[in-house]
Amino acid sequence: MAFEIIEGCVNCWACLPLCPSEAIREARPHFLIDAGACTECEGDFAHPQCASICPIEGVILNGAGEPVNPPGSLSGIPPGRLAAVCAEIQAR
């Protein structure tokens, strides 16, 4: 199974140079992953490099359509708590 980059990707270029199989391609409106070339970093790294560096949570999906970097994975804030945290920050 290969990963997929979906709408929401901002083409920040963070993932492109890290992909060991060179499966990520520049495209518009967002980068794409060549399913035939993607190895999900198996044999190269313990964690997928694209998902490890991606600053946008939830835009890289595995073969089952689940986010490899789900909401809360970068911030450490569970999605159910995000609204309360944002309100706290706004109140400062």
Side-chain angles (χ1 to χ4, degrees), residues 48-80:
Q49 296 300 284
C50 58
S52 296
I53 194 72
C54 183
I56 310 298
E57 296 173 332
V59 299
I60 300 176
L61 307 180
N62 63 19
E66 302 162 334
V68 182
N69 59 341
S73 62
L74 295 176
S75 64
I77 302 170

mmCIF file of all heavy atoms in Angstrom, residues 48-80:
data_model
loop_
_atom_site.group_PDB
_atom_site.id
_atom_site.type_symbol
_atom_site.label_atom_id
_atom_site.label_comp_id
_atom_site.label_asym_id
_atom_site.label_seq_id
_atom_site.Cartn_x
_atom_site.Cartn_y
_atom_site.Cartn_z
ATOM 1 N N PRO A 48 7.372 6.766 8.638
ATOM 2 C CA PRO A 48 7.350 7.405 7.316
ATOM 3 C C PRO A 48 7.899 8.830 7.405
ATOM 4 O O PRO A 48 7.448 9.628 8.225
ATOM 5 C CB PRO A 48 5.872 7.423 6.937
ATOM 6 C CG PRO A 48 5.231 6.403 7.816
ATOM 7 C CD PRO A 48 6.040 6.345 9.059
ATOM 8 N N GLN A 49 8.879 9.120 6.591
ATOM 9 C CA GLN A 49 9.529 10.420 6.649
ATOM 10 C C GLN A 49 8.606 11.567 6.247
ATOM 11 O O GLN A 49 8.666 12.644 6.837
ATOM 12 C CB GLN A 49 10.787 10.416 5.779
ATOM 13 C CG GLN A 49 11.835 9.445 6.277
ATOM 14 C CD GLN A 49 12.295 9.773 7.681
ATOM 15 O OE1 GLN A 49 13.049 10.702 7.884
ATOM 16 N NE2 GLN A 49 11.821 9.020 8.651
ATOM 17 N N CYS A 50 7.735 11.347 5.280
ATOM 18 C CA CYS A 50 6.829 12.415 4.848
ATOM 19 C C CYS A 50 5.892 12.825 5.990
ATOM 20 O O CYS A 50 5.697 14.008 6.253
ATOM 21 C CB CYS A 50 6.038 12.012 3.618
ATOM 22 S SG CYS A 50 5.035 10.515 3.792
ATOM 23 N N ALA A 51 5.353 11.841 6.684
ATOM 24 C CA ALA A 51 4.441 12.130 7.793
ATOM 25 C C ALA A 51 5.180 12.710 8.989
ATOM 26 O O ALA A 51 4.633 13.533 9.724
ATOM 27 C CB ALA A 51 3.694 10.871 8.199
ATOM 28 N N SER A 52 6.430 12.307 9.177
ATOM 29 C CA SER A 52 7.209 12.805 10.306
ATOM 30 C C SER A 52 7.529 14.283 10.186
ATOM 31 O O SER A 52 7.650 14.978 11.182
ATOM 32 C CB SER A 52 8.519 12.032 10.431
ATOM 33 O OG SER A 52 8.267 10.686 10.721
ATOM 34 N N ILE A 53 7.651 14.785 8.963
ATOM 35 C CA ILE A 53 8.044 16.183 8.753
ATOM 36 C C ILE A 53 6.867 17.082 8.371
ATOM 37 O O ILE A 53 6.946 18.291 8.511
ATOM 38 C CB ILE A 53 9.161 16.278 7.683
ATOM 39 C CG1 ILE A 53 9.840 17.643 7.668
ATOM 40 C CG2 ILE A 53 8.612 15.977 6.296
ATOM 41 C CD1 ILE A 53 10.722 17.909 8.842
ATOM 42 N N CYS A 54 5.768 16.512 7.915
ATOM 43 C CA CYS A 54 4.641 17.301 7.406
ATOM 44 C C CYS A 54 4.056 18.230 8.485
ATOM 45 O O CYS A 54 3.637 17.762 9.547
ATOM 46 C CB CYS A 54 3.537 16.384 6.886
ATOM 47 S SG CYS A 54 2.151 17.301 6.176
ATOM 48 N N PRO A 55 4.004 19.540 8.227
ATOM 49 C CA PRO A 55 3.471 20.475 9.214
ATOM 50 C C PRO A 55 1.938 20.577 9.203
ATOM 51 O O PRO A 55 1.369 21.262 10.038
ATOM 52 C CB PRO A 55 4.102 21.810 8.816
ATOM 53 C CG PRO A 55 4.227 21.699 7.337
ATOM 54 C CD PRO A 55 4.571 20.250 7.076
ATOM 55 N N ILE A 56 1.291 19.886 8.269
ATOM 56 C CA ILE A 56 -0.163 19.942 8.164
ATOM 57 C C ILE A 56 -0.736 18.594 8.585
ATOM 58 O O ILE A 56 -0.599 17.599 7.878
ATOM 59 C CB ILE A 56 -0.633 20.279 6.729
ATOM 60 C CG1 ILE A 56 0.093 21.510 6.185
ATOM 61 C CG2 ILE A 56 -2.143 20.457 6.685
ATOM 62 C CD1 ILE A 56 -0.151 22.796 6.962
ATOM 63 N N GLU A 57 -1.371 18.564 9.731
ATOM 64 C CA GLU A 57 -1.915 17.307 10.254
ATOM 65 C C GLU A 57 -3.058 16.793 9.378
ATOM 66 O O GLU A 57 -3.901 17.557 8.919
ATOM 67 C CB GLU A 57 -2.416 17.519 11.677
ATOM 68 C CG GLU A 57 -1.301 17.884 12.644
ATOM 69 C CD GLU A 57 -1.805 18.270 14.013
ATOM 70 O OE1 GLU A 57 -2.944 18.766 14.132
ATOM 71 O OE2 GLU A 57 -1.053 18.071 14.983
ATOM 72 N N GLY A 58 -3.068 15.497 9.148
ATOM 73 C CA GLY A 58 -4.176 14.838 8.468
ATOM 74 C C GLY A 58 -4.164 14.850 6.958
ATOM 75 O O GLY A 58 -5.133 14.416 6.345
ATOM 76 N N VAL A 59 -3.090 15.323 6.318
ATOM 77 C CA VAL A 59 -3.102 15.359 4.848
ATOM 78 C C VAL A 59 -2.373 14.193 4.186
ATOM 79 O O VAL A 59 -2.410 14.068 2.973
ATOM 80 C CB VAL A 59 -2.565 16.697 4.276
ATOM 81 C CG1 VAL A 59 -3.410 17.862 4.721
ATOM 82 C CG2 VAL A 59 -1.116 16.899 4.606
ATOM 83 N N ILE A 60 -1.731 13.349 4.978
ATOM 84 C CA ILE A 60 -1.086 12.168 4.419
ATOM 85 C C ILE A 60 -1.842 10.951 4.934
ATOM 86 O O ILE A 60 -1.947 10.735 6.142
ATOM 87 C CB ILE A 60 0.403 12.090 4.800
ATOM 88 C CG1 ILE A 60 1.123 13.333 4.276
ATOM 89 C CG2 ILE A 60 1.027 10.815 4.227
ATOM 90 C CD1 ILE A 60 2.578 13.413 4.678
ATOM 91 N N LEU A 61 -2.396 10.193 4.000
ATOM 92 C CA LEU A 61 -3.230 9.040 4.357
ATOM 93 C C LEU A 61 -2.517 7.736 4.024
ATOM 94 O O LEU A 61 -1.767 7.654 3.052
ATOM 95 C CB LEU A 61 -4.552 9.088 3.594
ATOM 96 C CG LEU A 61 -5.376 10.367 3.677
ATOM 97 C CD1 LEU A 61 -6.646 10.220 2.847
ATOM 98 C CD2 LEU A 61 -5.692 10.730 5.111
ATOM 99 N N ASN A 62 -2.806 6.712 4.816
ATOM 100 C CA ASN A 62 -2.278 5.382 4.509
ATOM 101 C C ASN A 62 -3.221 4.697 3.516
ATOM 102 O O ASN A 62 -4.218 5.293 3.090
ATOM 103 C CB ASN A 62 -2.069 4.550 5.783
ATOM 104 C CG ASN A 62 -3.361 4.265 6.531
ATOM 105 O OD1 ASN A 62 -4.471 4.352 5.995
ATOM 106 N ND2 ASN A 62 -3.222 3.903 7.792
ATOM 107 N N GLY A 63 -2.945 3.475 3.170
ATOM 108 C CA GLY A 63 -3.755 2.746 2.194
ATOM 109 C C GLY A 63 -5.196 2.528 2.621
ATOM 110 O O GLY A 63 -6.073 2.325 1.794
ATOM 111 N N ALA A 64 -5.463 2.581 3.927
ATOM 112 C CA ALA A 64 -6.824 2.424 4.446
ATOM 113 C C ALA A 64 -7.570 3.755 4.513
ATOM 114 O O ALA A 64 -8.715 3.802 4.951
ATOM 115 C CB ALA A 64 -6.784 1.786 5.833
ATOM 116 N N GLY A 65 -6.906 4.848 4.084
ATOM 117 C CA GLY A 65 -7.534 6.161 4.101
ATOM 118 C C GLY A 65 -7.479 6.855 5.453
ATOM 119 O O GLY A 65 -8.158 7.848 5.668
ATOM 120 N N GLU A 66 -6.634 6.346 6.356
ATOM 121 C CA GLU A 66 -6.495 6.950 7.684
ATOM 122 C C GLU A 66 -5.291 7.881 7.702
ATOM 123 O O GLU A 66 -4.254 7.560 7.122
ATOM 124 C CB GLU A 66 -6.290 5.854 8.739
ATOM 125 C CG GLU A 66 -7.415 4.856 8.776
ATOM 126 C CD GLU A 66 -7.016 3.563 9.474
ATOM 127 O OE1 GLU A 66 -5.806 3.222 9.490
ATOM 128 O OE2 GLU A 66 -7.921 2.898 9.992
ATOM 129 N N PRO A 67 -5.402 9.018 8.390
ATOM 130 C CA PRO A 67 -4.258 9.936 8.463
ATOM 131 C C PRO A 67 -3.064 9.299 9.158
ATOM 132 O O PRO A 67 -3.201 8.690 10.211
ATOM 133 C CB PRO A 67 -4.783 11.116 9.282
ATOM 134 C CG PRO A 67 -6.261 11.007 9.264
ATOM 135 C CD PRO A 67 -6.584 9.554 9.080
ATOM 136 N N VAL A 68 -1.903 9.426 8.541
ATOM 137 C CA VAL A 68 -0.668 8.929 9.131
ATOM 138 C C VAL A 68 -0.182 9.919 10.188
ATOM 139 O O VAL A 68 0.469 9.552 11.143
ATOM 140 C CB VAL A 68 0.415 8.713 8.051
ATOM 141 C CG1 VAL A 68 1.691 8.157 8.641
ATOM 142 C CG2 VAL A 68 -0.094 7.784 6.972
ATOM 143 N N ASN A 69 -0.512 11.199 10.000
ATOM 144 C CA ASN A 69 -0.205 12.243 10.974
ATOM 145 C C ASN A 69 -1.533 12.912 11.371
ATOM 146 O O ASN A 69 -1.859 13.992 10.921
ATOM 147 C CB ASN A 69 0.801 13.252 10.419
ATOM 148 C CG ASN A 69 0.320 13.941 9.156
ATOM 149 O OD1 ASN A 69 -0.592 13.466 8.476
ATOM 150 N ND2 ASN A 69 0.910 15.068 8.825
ATOM 151 N N PRO A 70 -2.314 12.240 12.215
ATOM 152 C CA PRO A 70 -3.664 12.707 12.542
ATOM 153 C C PRO A 70 -3.676 14.006 13.345
ATOM 154 O O PRO A 70 -2.657 14.402 13.919
ATOM 155 C CB PRO A 70 -4.239 11.559 13.367
ATOM 156 C CG PRO A 70 -3.061 10.901 13.974
ATOM 157 C CD PRO A 70 -1.960 11.034 12.959
ATOM 158 N N PRO A 71 -4.835 14.678 13.377
ATOM 159 C CA PRO A 71 -4.950 15.886 14.191
ATOM 160 C C PRO A 71 -4.496 15.627 15.621
ATOM 161 O O PRO A 71 -4.840 14.618 16.216
ATOM 162 C CB PRO A 71 -6.449 16.205 14.132
ATOM 163 C CG PRO A 71 -6.887 15.635 12.820
ATOM 164 C CD PRO A 71 -6.064 14.368 12.663
ATOM 165 N N GLY A 72 -3.681 16.539 16.126
ATOM 166 C CA GLY A 72 -3.140 16.413 17.470
ATOM 167 C C GLY A 72 -1.761 15.787 17.505
ATOM 168 O O GLY A 72 -1.066 15.860 18.507
ATOM 169 N N SER A 73 -1.326 15.182 16.394
ATOM 170 C CA SER A 73 -0.038 14.491 16.391
ATOM 171 C C SER A 73 1.145 15.459 16.470
ATOM 172 O O SER A 73 2.181 15.109 17.005
ATOM 173 C CB SER A 73 0.098 13.600 15.160
ATOM 174 O OG SER A 73 0.054 14.351 13.971
ATOM 175 N N LEU A 74 0.998 16.649 15.953
ATOM 176 C CA LEU A 74 2.090 17.621 16.013
ATOM 177 C C LEU A 74 2.008 18.502 17.246
ATOM 178 O O LEU A 74 3.010 18.789 17.876
ATOM 179 C CB LEU A 74 2.087 18.511 14.760
ATOM 180 C CG LEU A 74 2.374 17.813 13.447
ATOM 181 C CD1 LEU A 74 2.238 18.794 12.301
ATOM 182 C CD2 LEU A 74 3.758 17.223 13.463
ATOM 183 N N SER A 75 0.808 18.921 17.570
ATOM 184 C CA SER A 75 0.639 19.834 18.694
ATOM 185 C C SER A 75 0.582 19.111 20.030
ATOM 186 O O SER A 75 0.852 19.695 21.074
ATOM 187 C CB SER A 75 -0.644 20.656 18.518
ATOM 188 O OG SER A 75 -1.776 19.799 18.553
ATOM 189 N N GLY A 76 0.227 17.846 20.002
ATOM 190 C CA GLY A 76 0.054 17.106 21.247
ATOM 191 C C GLY A 76 -1.272 17.414 21.927
ATOM 192 O O GLY A 76 -1.537 16.937 23.021
ATOM 193 N N ILE A 77 -2.100 18.197 21.266
ATOM 194 C CA ILE A 77 -3.406 18.565 21.820
ATOM 195 C C ILE A 77 -4.462 17.667 21.194
ATOM 196 O O ILE A 77 -4.639 17.673 19.978
ATOM 197 C CB ILE A 77 -3.747 20.041 21.531
ATOM 198 C CG1 ILE A 77 -2.667 20.954 22.108
ATOM 199 C CG2 ILE A 77 -5.125 20.397 22.064
ATOM 200 C CD1 ILE A 77 -2.789 22.395 21.655
ATOM 201 N N PRO A 78 -5.197 16.895 21.998
ATOM 202 C CA PRO A 78 -6.252 16.053 21.440
ATOM 203 C C PRO A 78 -7.293 16.923 20.730
ATOM 204 O O PRO A 78 -7.621 18.018 21.200
ATOM 205 C CB PRO A 78 -6.862 15.370 22.662
ATOM 206 C CG PRO A 78 -5.847 15.513 23.745
ATOM 207 C CD PRO A 78 -5.080 16.762 23.437
ATOM 208 N N PRO A 79 -7.813 16.465 19.574
ATOM 209 C CA PRO A 79 -8.778 17.268 18.824
ATOM 210 C C PRO A 79 -9.957 17.755 19.665
ATOM 211 O O PRO A 79 -10.429 18.869 19.481
ATOM 212 C CB PRO A 79 -9.242 16.323 17.710
ATOM 213 C CG PRO A 79 -8.095 15.404 17.525
ATOM 214 C CD PRO A 79 -7.504 15.221 18.885
ATOM 215 N N GLY A 80 -10.425 16.958 20.616
ATOM 216 C CA GLY A 80 -11.544 17.373 21.459
ATOM 217 C C GLY A 80 -11.201 18.521 22.385
ATOM 218 O O GLY A 80 -12.077 19.240 22.856
#
